[in-house]
Structure formats: structure tokens, C-alpha cells
Amino acid sequence: METRKFSRREREKLRQRQEVLDVALRLFSEKGYHSVSMHEIAKEAEFAIGTLYKFFRNKEDLYKALIMQLSDRFHGALTEVIEGDAQEIEKLREYLRVKAELFRNNVAAIRLYFAETRGASFNAMAGLEREIRERRRSILVSLAQSSNKA
């Protein structure tokens, strides 16, 4: 698989976007979605408000991008374990180890996830919940199928 090489300007835009997402994750997980404004995110990230709007249409768009990025990270790590060549019991051990590591290394994301799934959901999660649940279901199905092959 060929990896695309980004220009300096593209790398800088990706870095800025990631900084905004990192600050948004911290603020959303500490204060909740409704208590954080785009202006506050911009100020904490040390960017002009217009910079945020270069990357995201609004706060809901930013939130959805953040949740999908986190979901992609978690799904990728767990899928890699499931698709590995380990024997059934080792695959289950590795799955649990990786999942625990994801929880330890992503405390703010886990805090945000549990805050939103305790009934505090709002329109920004509309559609995402179904997609995230489907990803989780596909991981569990893959794990079950890999253990049936053994």
C-alpha cells in the first residue's frame, strides 16, 4: 500500500485540526458538550475562531468528527488483534489487554463516552450511536468467528 506524502502546508493543517480536536476532547469531557462553546475551544487551542470554522461547520460537526476519530482508533486497534494469527485463547487475552490499554490511554474519551451514553445524549450523537454500535458488533462477531475457526 502506497502512503501519500503530504506537503508542509497540508501537514500544518492536519496538525492544527488535531490540536483543535484534542482541546475539544478535553473540554467536552470536563464540562460536557452544552457547556463548551466554539469560542472557548478556539481560545484554549490558541487559534482564531475562524480557524475552527475552516475545519468544522459548527460545534456539532466538530463533535462528530471527534467521536468518529476516537471510534476509528478503537476499532482499528481491536480489529488488528482479532485479525491476528494468534490461537483462540491468546487472541482473547490480547483483545482484553488492548481494550484495557485503550481505556487507560484514553481516559478523557472514555469519560466523554460514558457521560453521553448515560442518557445525556443529544442531537450531535444522532446517527453516530448506531454506527459506533455497529462497529462494536462487527468486532464481537469477528472475534466469535475467529474462535470458531480454531
Side-chain angles (χ1 to χ4, degrees), residues 3-17:
T3 304
R4 178 176 175 230
K5 186 170 179 158
F6 292 103
S7 70
R8 183 190 57 75
R9 177 169 278 155
E10 289 171 318
R11 287 190 313 269
E12 180 62 19
K13 283 178 74 173
L14 289 172
R15 185 193 62 75
Q16 288 177 344
R17 184 179 188 277

Side-chain angles (χ1 to χ4, degrees), residues 29 39 57 73 76 78 95 97 100:
S29 73
H39 285 281
R57 289 187 312 267
R73 184 184 315 152
L78 295 172
Y95 175 85
R97 186 194 67 71

Side-chain angles (χ1 to χ4, degrees), residues 50-117:
T51 302
L52 270 65
Y53 288 107
K54 278 190 336 189
F55 301 119
F56 309 102
R57 289 187 312 267
N58 51 39
K59 183 169 78 168
E60 185 176 323
D61 187 43
L62 185 156
Y63 185 83
K64 286 180 177 181
L66 173 63
I67 296 298
M68 292 312 300
Q69 180 187 64
L70 294 168
S71 178
D72 287 345
R73 184 184 315 152
F74 289 19
H75 185 264
L78 295 172
T79 299
E80 188 177 316
V81 169
I82 292 167
E83 293 176 353
D85 294 330
Q87 295 296 315
E88 181 178 350
I89 195 73
E90 284 306 312
K91 194 174 282 193
L92 287 171
R93 282 186 183 127
E94 184 65 7
Y95 175 85
L96 292 173
R97 186 194 67 71
V98 168
K99 194 163 188 174
E101 187 176 307
L102 285 168
F103 272 62
R104 273 193 309 274
N105 294 336
N106 295 281
V107 173
I110 300 305
R111 184 183 319 125
L112 179 61
Y113 174 78
F114 283 120
E116 295 307 325
T117 57

Side-chain angles (χ1 to χ4, degrees), residues 21-51:
L21 288 170
D22 291 344
V23 167
L25 172 60
R26 181 176 54 79
L27 291 174
F28 288 147
S29 73
E30 290 172 358
K31 299 179 175 190
Y33 176 84
H34 293 292
S35 298
V36 176
S37 69
M38 290 291 272
H39 285 281
E40 184 177 5
I41 295 168
K43 181 180 176 188
E44 288 286 321
E46 299 179 344
F47 289 116
I49 188 73
T51 302

